[in-house]
Amino acid sequence: MKKLAIISTIILGLATASCDSYLDINQDPNSPTEGNMSTSIMLPAAEMGIAATYGNLLRIPAGYFTQHYAHMFGTSNYVDYSQFNMSPVRSGSAYSQINRVGLKNLQTIRSLAEEKEEWGTYLAATTLRCFALQALVDCYGSIPYSEALDISNPSPHYDEGSAVYAGLLNELDEALGKVSPQDNVATNFLLQGKNAASWIQFANALKLKIMSREVGAVAEVDSKIGALIAEDNFPKADVAYAGFWKDETGQMNPFYAEEFSTAFGSTQENVTANLAIIGTMLQKNASGDVIYQDPRLAAFFDTNSSGEYVGGVSGTNFSTSGNYKAAYWCRPAMKYNSPVYMIQLAEIEFFIAEYYARHNNAAQAQAHYNAAIEASCASAGVGGADQVIAKFPYNQANYKQCIGISKWMALAGTNNFESWCELRRLKYPAFGSVTGTSLYVASDDKLNTAAYTPGTLYTPISVFDKVGSNQVIQRWPYPSVSTSSNSNAPSFSDADYKTPLFWAK
């Protein structure tokens, strides 16, 4: 694995050099002086703190936890993830990056914008702040929130996830109440050249996601979701960091820079596709003939050296001397300029479909479910949505299952972290009867792909014992970078690895 310094390089390189208007910046935007402290300088740096973390440090482990990814032969970098393990040390990288570069800068931006009554920028910074904080809740369950902004308090209290969620919705509503659609927004990467109207739509989509996860845990939230859907002011296109990444050191898509680029001197490959996602998106009969191939497969994964799609098995490290060397596997289809998706139209449509399904409006639920698949295919740049819908049709009687599996596939190539969240919440894909030890027999170095049942998960080989069989890891342990210095940090027991978050119980 390349050094985490890559992320800092990406952040500083992009914040200072990715757009023409930033080329003259000669000071670190993360340490601004009084003369250069402006929202237009600070917002890009804060954004890249979030994009680099969300698009890489959260994406990689989630890709393994969802069984979109398996581990490549001959390396040990992510074998622990593939066994559903996350250590307190490992979990600290994302936590520190989001807090140090993202959240601290965003709070300064919010203060500056409020002082100058720049309500478009205030909304943008608030929306990004809430987005990042929700991601942290979805990792840990509890995080510092109510006391986190008090710089005189080195040991802020960890708030329960449900309380943080409620606070985030209040923050978004407060910012939305101050803004007008025509208000300007400081220079930024995410919605370049857009006024507050686009940020209002993004904030509404984030509210939809937050409230959809609250269903079953918070009273009366469904009526608020209904009102938001009736308002129908959501993004009209995927919200993503796209269009500015460059094939230059420090300016590439962060996952590409970490795993695919040789710009930092490493040629090591760690991530390959998982047998589970390949076996669902590419199905064969007993004779080995292809009976279904998802049109998005080529957009999500590259073929192997033989032009075939083959996925590895979670929880093992394939030998460099065996049958399954690097050229045997297919890899995620990543480029230096691949987008970092924040929220996609497909996700919004799936959430809306789920709302109507809960209210037994099968016709509307099916319409939005189909629209989600169509949006996913459009985002992937492929046709064939009708083919996907026919293979995985909407089923009102089992709406969580069909939405869960279809969302798992739709996010396999675009947003593994959100897929892990939704997998835990919806409980689909569920675990099948086959285990990793049946799919790959290490003593014989034999892969048994035919044993896999499409649309299921499986217990990894050498699964982390604190998680165990037929379960996915439910939360990350609290980061040692916080617990080592915060006397108010809660304890984390072995049982907590499989204790669902408040929205997944």
Side-chain angles (χ1 to χ4, degrees):
M1 180 176 61
K2 302 176 180 70
K3 295 180 180 179
L4 291 176
I6 293 173
I7 304 303
S8 296
T9 304
I10 292 171
I11 293 165
L12 297 181
L14 282 168
T16 59
S18 193
C19 293
D20 292 342
S21 59
Y22 303 142
L23 294 176
D24 292 331
I25 295 175
N26 295 311
Q27 299 184 55
D28 180 357
N30 299 305
S31 302
T33 65
E34 183 177 351
N36 77 348
M37 184 181 287
S38 72
T39 54
S40 286
I41 287 178
M42 296 188 70
L43 187 53
E47 286 183 286
M48 288 302 99
I50 294 170
T53 307
Y54 187 73
N56 183 37
L57 298 180
L58 298 187
R59 175 176 184 147
I60 290 175
Y64 286 98
F65 299 159
T66 55
Q67 294 188 333
H68 292 151
Y69 298 158
H71 202 60
M72 187 65 80
F73 83 106
T75 73
S76 59
N77 287 335
Y78 301 134
V79 170
D80 53 345
Y81 294 163
S82 76
Q83 295 170 346
F84 293 171
N85 189 2
M86 170 62 79
S87 73
V89 173
R90 286 271 217 182
S91 82
S93 298
Y95 181 88
S96 296
Q97 196 70 58
I98 283 181
N99 277 282
R100 181 170 58 85
V101 182
L103 293 175
K104 288 185 177 181
N105 277 353
L106 287 171
Q107 185 53 33
T108 302
I109 294 164
R110 275 164 36 100
S111 297
L112 287 171
E114 185 173 30
E115 179 183 337
K116 298 178 181 179
E117 297 187 354
E118 297 175 358
W119 300 124
T121 300
Y122 184 80
L123 173 64
T126 300
T127 304
L128 290 171
R129 165 183 157 80
C130 292
F131 185 97
L133 286 167
Q134 185 194 14
L136 290 179
V137 170
D138 294 345
C139 285
Y140 300 104
S142 301
I143 61 169
Y145 177 69
S146 59
E147 299 177 358
L149 297 179
D150 183 0
I151 60 175
S152 66
N153 182 5
S155 297
H157 171 71
Y158 272 61
D159 295 275
E160 291 292 332
S162 56
V164 179
Y165 262 46
L168 299 182
L169 289 171
N170 287 336
E171 287 189 33
L172 289 168
D173 285 340
E174 183 261 348
L176 286 166
K178 293 181 175 180
V179 74
S180 297
Q182 68 273 13
D183 285 347
N184 292 326
V185 178
T187 304
N188 66 89
F189 287 108
L190 187 60
L191 294 167
Q192 299 179 45
K194 304 291 186 180
N195 60 16
S198 294
W199 284 93
I200 291 170
Q201 293 175 339
F202 179 30
N204 284 338
L206 181 56
K207 286 181 62 178
L208 177 65
K209 183 174 71 166
I210 292 171
M211 291 192 293
S212 294
R213 295 213 175 123
E214 287 184 320
V215 170
V218 176
E220 305 302 327
V221 70
D222 228 15
S223 61
K224 295 180 181 179
I225 294 174
L228 190 62
I229 291 173
E231 185 182 341
D232 192 25
N233 190 20
F234 298 118
K236 308 307 179 188
D238 294 340
V239 179
Y241 285 104
F244 58 85
W245 306 108
K246 295 183 179 180
D247 193 10
E248 298 176 15
T249 303
Q251 300 187 44
M252 306 169 186
N253 170 289
F255 179 46
Y256 180 88
E258 177 79 30
E259 177 63 20
F260 298 86
S261 173
T262 59
F264 295 91
S266 174
T267 58
Q268 184 167 298
E269 297 178 346
N270 302 290
V271 181
T272 184
N274 198 294
L275 180 150
I277 192 64
I278 297 298
T280 301
M281 299 184 81
L282 179 66
Q283 299 182 25
K284 300 179 181 180
N285 60 21
S287 301
D289 301 319
V290 175
I291 56 175
Y292 172 75
Q293 180 168 331
D294 194 294
R296 296 166 293 184
L297 186 59
F300 291 172
F301 297 98
D302 294 327
T303 57
N304 66 9
S305 60
S306 300
E308 299 177 336
Y309 292 102
V310 182
V313 179
S314 296
T316 189
N317 185 356
F318 290 92
S319 170
T320 59
S321 59
N323 295 321
Y324 307 115
K325 299 182 180 181
Y328 187 80
W329 309 109
C330 60
R331 301 256 283 154
M334 291 297 299
K335 300 179 176 63
Y336 74 87
N337 59 351
S338 293
V340 174
Y341 292 98
M342 301 294 274
I343 194 162
Q344 296 179 263
L345 293 184
E347 294 177 78
I348 295 169
E349 291 291 347
F350 277 128
F351 283 129
I352 296 174
E354 190 181 341
Y355 166 80
Y356 283 116
R358 289 194 300 271
H359 292 269
N360 293 311
N361 189 334
Q364 283 283 11
Q366 181 176 4
H368 286 281
Y369 173 86
N370 292 350
I373 293 174
E374 291 165 357
S376 174
C377 289
S379 180
V382 301
D386 290 346
Q387 178 187 358
V388 181
I389 293 168
K391 183 66 177 179
F392 299 94
Y394 179 74
N395 184 340
Q396 176 64 24
N398 296 295
Y399 73 87
K400 287 187 178 181
Q401 180 180 31
C402 69
I403 290 175
I405 292 174
S406 287
K407 186 177 286 191
W408 175 67
M409 288 188 291
L411 297 174
T414 58
N415 200 324
N416 312 86
F417 180 75
E418 296 302 330
S419 184
W420 177 52
C421 295
E422 292 300 281
L423 187 158
R424 288 177 288 160
R425 184 177 69 89
L426 294 170
K427 309 297 189 294
Y428 289 99
F431 282 81
S433 58
V434 175
T435 65
T437 53
S438 299
L439 295 170
Y440 174 68
V441 182
S443 59
D444 298 330
D445 193 28
K446 184 177 180 181
L447 195 65
N448 182 20
T449 58
Y452 172 73
T453 301
T456 63
L457 304 179
Y458 58 88
T459 299
I461 299 170
S462 302
V463 67
F464 182 43
D465 62 353
K466 305 302 186 297
V467 174
S469 300
N470 296 324
Q471 296 189 73
V472 69
I473 182 172
Q474 292 293 318
R475 63 177 74 202
W476 293 13
Y478 299 117
S480 56
V481 293
S482 176
T483 58
S484 62
S485 59
N486 186 342
S487 59
N488 286 321
S491 61
F492 188 90
S493 70
D494 290 347
D496 287 330
Y497 283 101
K498 53 185 179 182
T499 300
L501 271 63
F502 79 95
W503 47 250
K505 293 180 180 178

